[in-house]
């Protein structure tokens, strides 16, 4: 016999949930195909934008460098369709000729000129970063020489340094006699280096000025409230803040002093002990038809510039600020 149902049991039976209701309802995971496709497109899109510049870089930079390295192991004269493989003979010939490396002494004049132009550019950039009258005018005057073509600069100073020219006329007012600025072997490199100072000071000045203007103004205000002078502000605020730009300018100065070409080539053609390494390489290739030897000299110059840059980065590393 079955137990009689009471009202209390009916109430309990109604209030209890069904067996399936206690189980958690789980939905099957949805397949998200859209984000995966978006991530794949997001990975591939930057390479589409980089395709054109990479193609130009490989075509006009890396392939010519590879050809230059291959020519350095041959005796190609630059004209004949064939060439012979000579191995390291060009490099042996290059390092056994003292006169080929004597031209590096000329680079010391341009290296000293680079130091002068960096100091001058840093001074002008610091002065013009403060509230100075007519500072925009002075910025334009200092930057204008860099806008002039190097060939035009060479011809302008060719007349400037000629006997009885502009410089001799000005010096005559002070009782100084004329000089052979480009004909005297003791004065020609100093004169040419001075032209490079006049031309490239504006470029460094703009680089330094942009770096100084990026310094937070709160640092200048705090230094001024503490009673710091202009020199103390430069030493403790400006110089540490623009150290990476100074490092970049030093690298460009060293590499540029080793590869000077257009100003001495236009003004003297390398005569009177003013021949640079690049001018000598050009003469080997086009005057003496020794393209293989000239390619070896170009490879050596490239390695020297890379070595100097690497040493500079090792000795004076950039300070990196770690973000918490």
């Amino acid at each position: 016999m079955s137990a009689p149902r009471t009202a209390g049991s009916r109430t309990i039976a109604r209030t209890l949930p069904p067996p399936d209701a206690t189980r958690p309802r789980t939905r099957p995971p949805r397949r998200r195909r859209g984000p995966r496709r978006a991530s794949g497109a997001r990975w591939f899109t930057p390479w589409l934008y980089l395709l054109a510049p990479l193609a130009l870089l490989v075509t006009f930079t890396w392939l010519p460098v590879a050809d230059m390295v291959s020519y350095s192991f041959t005796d190609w004269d630059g004209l004949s369709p064939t060439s012979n493989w000579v191995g390291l003979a060009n490099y042996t010939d290059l390092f056994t000729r003292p006169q080929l490396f004597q031209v590096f002494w000329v680079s010391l004049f341009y290296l000293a000129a680079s130091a002068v132009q960096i100091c001058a550019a840093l001074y002008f950039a610091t002065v013009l970063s403060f509230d100075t009258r007519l500072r925009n005018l002075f910025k334009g005057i200092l930057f204008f020489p860099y806008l002039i073509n190097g060939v035009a600069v060479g011809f302008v100073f060719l007349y400037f340094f000629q006997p009885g020219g502009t410089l001799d006329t000005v010096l005559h007012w002070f009782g100084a006699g004329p000089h052979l600025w480009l004909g005297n072997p003791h004065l020609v490199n100093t004169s040419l280096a001075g032209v490079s100072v006049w031309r490239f000071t504006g470029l460094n000045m703009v680089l330094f000025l942009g770096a100084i203007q990026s310094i937070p103004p709160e640092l200048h205000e705090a230094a001024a409230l503490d009673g710091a002078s202009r020199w103390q502000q430069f030493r403790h605020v400006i110089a540490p803040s623009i150290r990476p730009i100074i490092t970049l300018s030093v690298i460009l100065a060293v590499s540029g002093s080793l590869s000077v070409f257009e100003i001495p080539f236009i003004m003297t053609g390398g005569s009177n002990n003013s021949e640079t390494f690049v001018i000598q390489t050009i003469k080997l290739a086009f005057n003496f038809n020794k393209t293989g030897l000239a390619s070896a000299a170009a490879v050596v110059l490239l390695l020297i510039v890379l070595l100097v840059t690497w040493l500079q980065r090792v000795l004076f590393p950039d300070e990196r600020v770690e973000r918490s």
Side-chain angles (χ1 to χ4, degrees), residues 82-264:
T82 59
S83 59
N84 299 321
W85 181 267
V86 296
L88 298 176
N90 289 326
Y91 293 94
T92 303
D93 188 10
L94 187 67
F95 283 98
T96 53
R97 289 187 179 186
Q99 63 273 18
L100 292 181
F101 281 92
Q102 289 178 355
V103 294
F104 278 114
W105 291 104
V106 180
S107 300
L108 296 178
F109 290 90
Y110 296 97
L111 186 60
S114 299
V116 172
Q117 74 184 22
I118 289 177
C119 294
L122 193 56
Y123 171 77
F124 288 124
T126 304
V127 171
L128 295 177
S129 64
F130 295 105
D131 191 9
T132 308
R133 295 182 58 185
L134 302 176
R135 58 179 179 178
N136 291 329
L137 176 62
F138 288 114
K139 290 178 186 178
I141 293 175
L142 292 172
F143 187 68
F144 177 73
Y146 180 73
L147 301 177
I148 306 176
N149 184 268
V151 177
V153 171
F155 279 109
V156 167
F157 278 91
L158 186 63
Y159 291 100
F160 181 79
F161 286 117
Q162 70 178 356
T166 306
L167 183 57
D168 285 341
T169 302
V170 174
L171 293 178
H172 181 70
W173 297 343
F174 299 94
H179 298 82
L180 294 176
W181 299 102
L182 301 179
N184 190 345
H186 300 288
L187 295 176
V188 59
N189 291 315
T190 304
S191 303
L192 297 176
V195 176
S196 67
V197 172
W198 178 83
R199 185 186 179 195
F200 293 105
T201 298
L203 175 62
N204 292 301
M205 185 268 298
V206 170
L207 294 176
F208 294 149
L209 187 60
I212 293 173
Q213 291 178 348
S214 65
I215 300 175
E218 293 81 7
L219 297 179
H220 294 283
E221 294 176 0
L225 291 176
D226 291 338
S229 62
R230 294 294 176 87
W231 166 248
Q232 291 175 340
Q233 292 183 29
F234 171 79
R235 181 181 177 183
H236 299 286
V237 177
I238 295 177
S241 301
I242 65 172
R243 182 179 176 182
I245 303 301
I246 296 176
T247 304
L248 175 63
S249 298
V250 172
I251 293 175
L252 295 177
V254 173
S255 60
S257 62
L258 294 173
S259 57
V260 177
F261 170 66
E262 55 185 4
I263 290 178

Side-chain angles (χ1 to χ4, degrees), residues 31-46:
R31 296 181 179 179
R32 300 181 179 181
R33 298 180 179 178
R36 293 182 180 178
R37 294 180 180 179
S39 62
R42 196 179 301 114
W43 172 85
F44 185 73
T45 301

Side-chain angles (χ1 to χ4, degrees), residues 22-105:
T22 59
R23 298 178 182 178
R25 297 181 181 180
T26 58
R27 298 180 180 179
R30 298 179 180 179
R31 296 181 179 179
R32 300 181 179 181
R33 298 180 179 178
R36 293 182 180 178
R37 294 180 180 179
S39 62
R42 196 179 301 114
W43 172 85
F44 185 73
T45 301
W47 292 100
L48 291 178
Y49 291 98
L50 291 174
L51 185 61
L54 286 177
L56 294 175
L57 180 65
V58 171
T59 303
F60 295 102
T61 302
W62 295 111
L63 289 180
V65 170
D67 290 338
M68 180 185 68
V69 174
S70 64
Y71 293 151
S72 65
F73 297 103
T74 64
D75 61 350
W76 187 43
D77 59 357
L79 298 174
S80 60
T82 59
S83 59
N84 299 321
W85 181 267
V86 296
L88 298 176
N90 289 326
Y91 293 94
T92 303
D93 188 10
L94 187 67
F95 283 98
T96 53
R97 289 187 179 186
Q99 63 273 18
L100 292 181
F101 281 92
Q102 289 178 355
V103 294
F104 278 114
W105 291 104

